[in-house]
Amino acid sequence: MIIREFGVRQGKLPAAQAIADANPRHSRKALAAAAPLRRGPQQCLRALSTETSGTPVATADPAVESALQTNPENPSPVPSLFARVAKPTRRRPVEPDTTKADWETAQQLRRNLLPVGTKVEHRYGPADVFRNPPGPKDVTLELLMASQAHMGHHASVWNPANARYIYGIREGIHIISLEQTAAHLRRAARVVEEVAYHGGLILFVGTRPGQTQIVTQAARLSKACHLFTKWTPGTITNSDKILPGIPVEIVDELDRPVGPAFNQHLMDRRALVPDLVVCLNPLENFTMLRECSQANVPTIGIIDTNTEPTWVTYAIPANDDSLRCLAVIGSVLGRAGEAGQKRRMEDAKNGKVTWETPSEIKQFIEIQQKRARWTKRAAEEEEAAANKANGGPNQSSTPRSSDRSYGRTPSTNKDGTPIFHADEAMAELQAEVDVINAEDDVSPQLRNMMRNLD
Amino acid sequence: MVRGPAQRQIRPARVYQTVTTLMDHRVKPRLAIQQPVWYKVVESIPPSEILTRPFPPQHRQPNPRARKASRLFQPQKLVYKEDELRKKFYTDHPWELARPRMIIEMDGKDALRCDWSKGLRQPGMPLSGECVVQRQMYLMENIPGITEDVAYDQVRKEFYKLRQEEEIERRIAQEEARMVGAYFGQTFQQVGMQLEDQQFERWKRWATREIEKIQGEQTAAYTSFDASEGGADAADLDVDSLREDLESTANIPPA
């Protein structure tokens, strides 16, 4: 302890001397209103110092303290506070700038030491695949083998439905045929790209620990959704209960939000169902795959030798226990989705829309248009009635011919002019809405019938 | 809901057919089912899975004397020529397995960078038993008339020489480092001996305490009697034996 304190004093002494040699104002220059604070230079110094330790020791030195308080040899020539404030002086001791010399020395040292020692070459890092994700064009058998895509499970736990993908047995485990893996991976990448091109909603699912980054990166690349936590059972088949009021946005062909015109539709809209689901671990997500199959959603899954390949629409035979392999596959699919999105946006800029409006939104638009039309005609009828009452001509009440093509033909008068009743029109509209709702209710039954027919 | 790994599902693979049927149904003509986004995609890229049993890739010669086919549809074992060589080398040199080895591959093309005609040392690959096996394979395939044993003998000697070089290099590097002031800690053996000595010292302290205790008891016993009977009783023997133990332990020279 004594030695340490001695060292501190030794170290602090030159600094204190420098402060003492300079004008005492220098040490307190940062305080604009220095006059009242001059009484306690210790507190000032302590407040100004950026050093975490040692400052109290330095200021506790009585010699330094006296030197700080008064300098008899060089008394302050400006007694007034205002004069000091008006003419601030900066008397920091100018140290020579050695930056350039230091840099040159470092470069020289580096040049001299460069040929010395071992040359460390960058071989492999787990984050490489995230820094530079490979695309479908980069898939080679060597890459797949280096990322351990070929290692299956022990031969005793195999699923015989995977016999097509298995090359042989080595050291007791099944070896997946990398030709099959590459072929199926390219096929799946093609599916992802095309679905992205047609504006489909893609979902990447990987719920094992360590798959978070893979899934999020793939989703980011392909502007898709991701899931790395538990799949809540019923998210598709019972979405009205599981996802009530989930925020949905309606965008145009350039992915711009269309504004508040569809707010009424969004309020009573059901949750979206993905158009394609990519699952990295089908074994743990059986429920999700089952729901997808019930909702007729195609799925892509990584099928290890112990997994059932019929759970997914498109199987990618690979090792689902190797994060490196999953990262490669995820990034390939993500890159494919990225390419599809890019193509879609280019086509949209050229005026080609690759998707069609969902039927619910179409119905909503039709109903809105019809409602606006009936409202307009009701207003015209009222105006015509008012004109008739006033004895004026009723020529303006004749409807346009285009209106006849919508809805049922209204009954006509004896002179051929149609009679329009607003309440009748609203009832008709309501009937149509009821029909549409009834059809929505019917559709699950129909689906069940279709399943039985299969 | 069906669970379990062995449950086949037919709907995922038939999603296209299902939706086609749904769209073409005539049960309720006014109910129009919109074509899904993926419909054309799945139509043009159909799924590949067919649940038929394939004939697996064959890796062995069929046995001509076999009367009937066995395990016809099961995957076969992968056997390579190197396996025997590897087995022989590691049986002869089991401690080569104790050396740390990097099994991560960079891009899968690591084997293409090796040229086994040049010798055992290859870029980016430390010397190991795998080098011996690959070099031996190269010799057996490229030198006409060379037998497996001759090739093994030749490569084995190259390997010994390189290992010896490595050992000498390491020793000299160590000497040079010591020369310029480096110091290395104790070896594992020294650490072990030190721990052992500590235990011996502990036992010696305990034994000394025990001797003092017994002697104190003896002294107390003697003071309570007027005259001692003479001769060595049991407690005396105990103390003597303990002391002998102690002396013999203390005489063991430290390693």
Side-chain angles (χ1 to χ4, degrees):
Chain A
M1 189 58 203
I2 295 168
I3 293 171
R4 199 181 309 157
E5 200 168 333
F6 175 72
V8 167
R9 285 189 185 223
Q10 285 285 335
K12 290 301 148 193
L13 208 53
Q17 286 291 347
I19 292 170
D21 289 347
N23 196 305
R25 274 174 289 141
H26 160 67
S27 60
R28 299 189 290 271
K29 68 181 166 45
L31 298 171
L37 293 174
R38 262 177 103 185
R39 286 178 224 139
Q42 289 185 23
Q43 287 90 6
C44 294
L45 260 185
R46 199 166 297 178
L48 280 173
S49 171
T50 57
E51 287 166 342
T52 53
S53 66
T55 310
V57 177
T59 49
D61 198 335
V64 177
E65 200 174 327
S66 62
L68 278 172
Q69 277 175 347
T70 57
N71 197 347
E73 296 159 9
N74 186 15
S76 174
V78 189
S80 167
L81 163 70
F82 304 105
R84 264 208 317 277
V85 171
K87 209 164 60 176
T89 52
R90 187 183 182 87
R91 294 195 183 176
R92 181 171 291 172
V94 180
E95 293 175 2
D97 188 9
T98 59
T99 311
K100 183 166 180 289
D102 288 348
W103 188 79
E104 280 170 354
T105 313
Q107 290 299 312
Q108 180 68 32
L109 199 64
R110 207 174 143 204
R111 235 173 285 131
N112 290 345
L113 291 181
L114 204 59
V116 180
T118 313
K119 187 184 172 192
V120 180
E121 126 185 56
H122 179 76
R123 302 284 292 183
Y124 162 74
D128 291 348
V129 71
F130 296 110
R131 287 201 200 95
N132 187 18
K137 297 266 189 275
D138 306 325
V139 174
T140 55
L141 300 193
E142 291 94 350
L143 175 68
L144 289 174
M145 182 168 235
S147 51
Q148 300 130 28
H150 60 292
M151 293 192 202
H153 278 266
H154 194 265
S156 63
V157 294
W158 78 315
N159 192 322
N162 289 321
R164 172 176 307 277
Y165 310 133
I166 293 174
Y167 181 64
I169 300 177
R170 180 81 179 165
E171 303 290 338
I173 66 167
H174 276 132
I175 301 297
I176 298 168
S177 173
L178 289 177
E179 293 163 5
Q180 297 277 341
T181 303
H184 284 78
L185 181 57
R186 291 198 188 107
R187 180 191 299 249
R190 188 97 185 99
V191 170
V192 171
E193 181 182 345
E194 287 303 313
V195 169
Y197 175 68
H198 287 100
L201 185 66
I202 305 173
L203 172 65
F204 285 91
V205 180
T207 55
R208 275 191 200 165
Q211 294 176 352
T212 308
Q213 198 181 2
I214 300 166
V215 163
T216 47
Q217 193 216 23
R220 182 174 47 79
L221 284 176
S222 57
K223 293 183 189 168
C225 309
H226 60 253
L227 174 79
F228 50 79
T229 52
K230 182 179 180 271
W231 171 266
T232 310
T235 308
I236 288 179
T237 51
N238 193 20
S239 61
D240 293 342
K241 294 290 179 195
I242 305 285
L243 302 172
I246 198 87
V248 180
E249 197 178 40
I250 296 186
V251 295
D252 64 356
E253 71 273 13
L254 290 171
D255 286 356
R256 293 173 305 202
V258 292
F262 290 92
N263 281 354
Q264 194 190 344
H265 170 68
L266 287 180
M267 269 159 58
D268 50 358
R269 205 205 139 84
R270 308 177 80 176
L272 292 173
V273 174
D275 296 307
L276 180 70
V277 173
V278 181
C279 185
L280 300 187
N281 51 342
L283 270 183
E284 285 86 357
N285 286 309
F286 174 79
T287 318
M288 185 203 66
L289 296 173
R290 176 83 179 173
E291 283 179 33
C292 287
S293 71
Q294 279 181 343
N296 292 325
V297 177
T299 47
I300 295 173
I302 294 176
I303 299 297
D304 212 332
T305 57
N306 64 341
T307 315
E308 173 63 44
T310 57
W311 286 359
V312 293
T313 313
Y314 295 95
I316 304 173
N319 179 12
D320 67 350
D321 299 295
S322 159
L323 286 179
R324 188 177 173 187
C325 166
L326 290 185
V328 167
I329 291 175
S331 68
V332 166
L333 297 182
R335 281 283 194 206
E338 190 185 22
Q341 298 281 5
K342 198 177 161 197
R343 270 173 54 212
R344 178 171 70 85
M345 294 308 284
E346 280 171 3
D347 279 359
K349 276 173 196 160
N350 296 332
K352 183 184 172 189
V353 182
T354 54
W355 46 275
E356 62 174 312
T357 313
S359 55
E360 303 96 6
I361 297 180
K362 258 190 214 163
Q363 282 169 7
F364 176 76
I365 293 173
E366 272 177 22
I367 291 171
Q368 291 295 103
Q369 283 175 347
K370 203 172 276 182
R371 187 168 284 164
R373 216 161 42 236
W374 289 131
T375 315
K376 190 181 167 194
R377 283 188 61 179
E380 284 173 2
E381 284 292 327
E382 277 181 14
E383 191 186 344
N387 285 344
K388 204 172 185 180
N390 293 338
N394 59 350
Q395 295 302 316
S396 63
S397 68
T398 310
R400 286 172 295 166
S401 62
S402 63
D403 285 348
R404 288 172 182 271
S405 60
Y406 295 100
R408 293 165 199 158
T409 315
S411 59
T412 54
N413 264 337
K414 285 171 188 168
D415 56 354
T417 53
I419 289 178
F420 177 74
H421 299 290
D423 50 348
E424 187 186 326
M426 288 312 288
E428 191 182 350
L429 189 64
Q430 190 58 46
E432 287 199 22
V433 171
D434 288 345
V435 165
I436 289 163
N437 287 341
E439 283 170 353
D440 273 353
D441 290 343
V442 158
S443 63
Q445 297 170 8
L446 272 181
R447 284 184 185 174
N448 286 334
M449 287 171 63
M450 288 305 123
R451 199 185 311 147
N452 293 336
L453 286 177
D454 278 343
Chain B
M1 182 171 278
V2 188
R3 276 200 174 276
Q7 296 298 329
R8 300 268 190 274
Q9 304 280 319
I10 55 163
R11 283 179 67 92
R14 294 185 51 79
V15 60
Y16 173 76
Q17 286 85 348
T18 311
V19 171
T20 308
T21 318
L22 265 179
M23 283 163 56
D24 295 345
H25 73 87
R26 302 197 175 271
V27 180
K28 188 159 183 181
R30 280 198 56 153
L31 173 64
I33 295 207
Q34 197 183 22
Q35 179 175 300
V37 170
W38 50 262
Y39 188 76
K40 293 282 179 199
V41 180
V42 179
E43 185 182 32
S44 60
I45 312 169
S48 73
E49 172 65 26
I50 312 164
L51 279 179
T52 48
R53 201 157 47 167
F55 189 59
Q58 301 295 302
H59 306 299
R60 60 174 181 224
Q61 295 296 323
N63 185 5
R65 287 188 296 176
R67 287 293 194 82
K68 60 175 186 178
S70 167
R71 300 173 182 272
L72 196 61
F73 293 105
Q74 287 191 9
Q76 294 186 350
K77 277 191 179 169
L78 294 169
V79 181
Y80 298 106
K81 206 175 172 185
E82 293 98 315
D83 294 347
E84 281 303 313
L85 311 182
R86 206 173 280 128
K87 195 176 167 192
K88 179 167 174 53
F89 177 82
Y90 283 113
T91 314
D92 294 349
H93 310 84
W95 282 99
E96 283 298 316
L97 287 170
R99 291 177 183 269
R101 195 178 159 199
M102 175 73 88
I103 56 169
I104 275 187
E105 288 181 77
M106 185 166 58
D107 54 356
K109 295 176 184 164
D110 301 19
L112 301 184
R113 299 190 190 94
C114 299
D115 180 8
W116 295 108
S117 64
K118 299 276 178 61
L120 284 174
R121 278 206 188 282
Q122 295 296 330
M125 185 177 183
L127 192 65
S128 69
E130 191 59 30
C131 303
V132 175
V133 173
Q134 295 297 331
R135 170 100 171 130
Q136 187 184 353
M137 276 291 295
Y138 173 82
L139 293 184
M140 285 163 60
E141 285 171 0
N142 289 280
I143 296 182
I146 195 168
T147 63
E148 184 186 321
D149 290 338
V150 173
Y152 179 63
D153 214 41
Q154 179 185 336
V155 180
R156 186 176 59 100
K157 282 172 183 164
E158 290 173 16
F159 178 72
Y160 294 158
K161 203 173 168 220
L162 289 175
R163 274 271 185 259
Q164 204 174 4
E165 273 178 19
E166 274 184 3
E167 186 63 37
I168 292 170
E169 271 176 15
R170 197 177 304 123
R171 205 178 63 220
I172 288 176
Q174 203 178 14
E175 280 172 11
E176 284 176 357
R178 278 189 207 282
M179 174 91 181
V180 296
Y183 57 92
F184 307 98
Q186 291 172 319
T187 62
F188 289 127
Q189 280 193 348
Q190 284 170 332
V191 171
M193 295 306 289
Q194 201 178 4
L195 293 174
E196 208 175 304
D197 287 347
Q198 280 175 6
Q199 291 303 318
F200 277 133
E201 290 301 321
R202 245 187 78 222
W203 181 85
K204 268 164 73 177
R205 282 199 299 279
W206 172 83
T208 315
R209 274 201 310 276
E210 290 297 308
I211 289 170
E212 282 169 2
K213 208 187 288 173
I214 293 168
Q215 279 181 344
E217 282 173 5
Q218 281 179 352
T219 316
Y222 281 136
T223 50
S224 62
F225 290 97
D226 287 341
S228 64
E229 293 298 316
D233 56 355
D236 270 338
L237 278 178
D238 261 353
V239 173
D240 288 342
S241 66
L242 261 179
R243 187 170 287 141
E244 277 166 15
D245 273 357
L246 192 58
E247 280 164 3
S248 64
T249 312
N251 285 338
I252 293 174

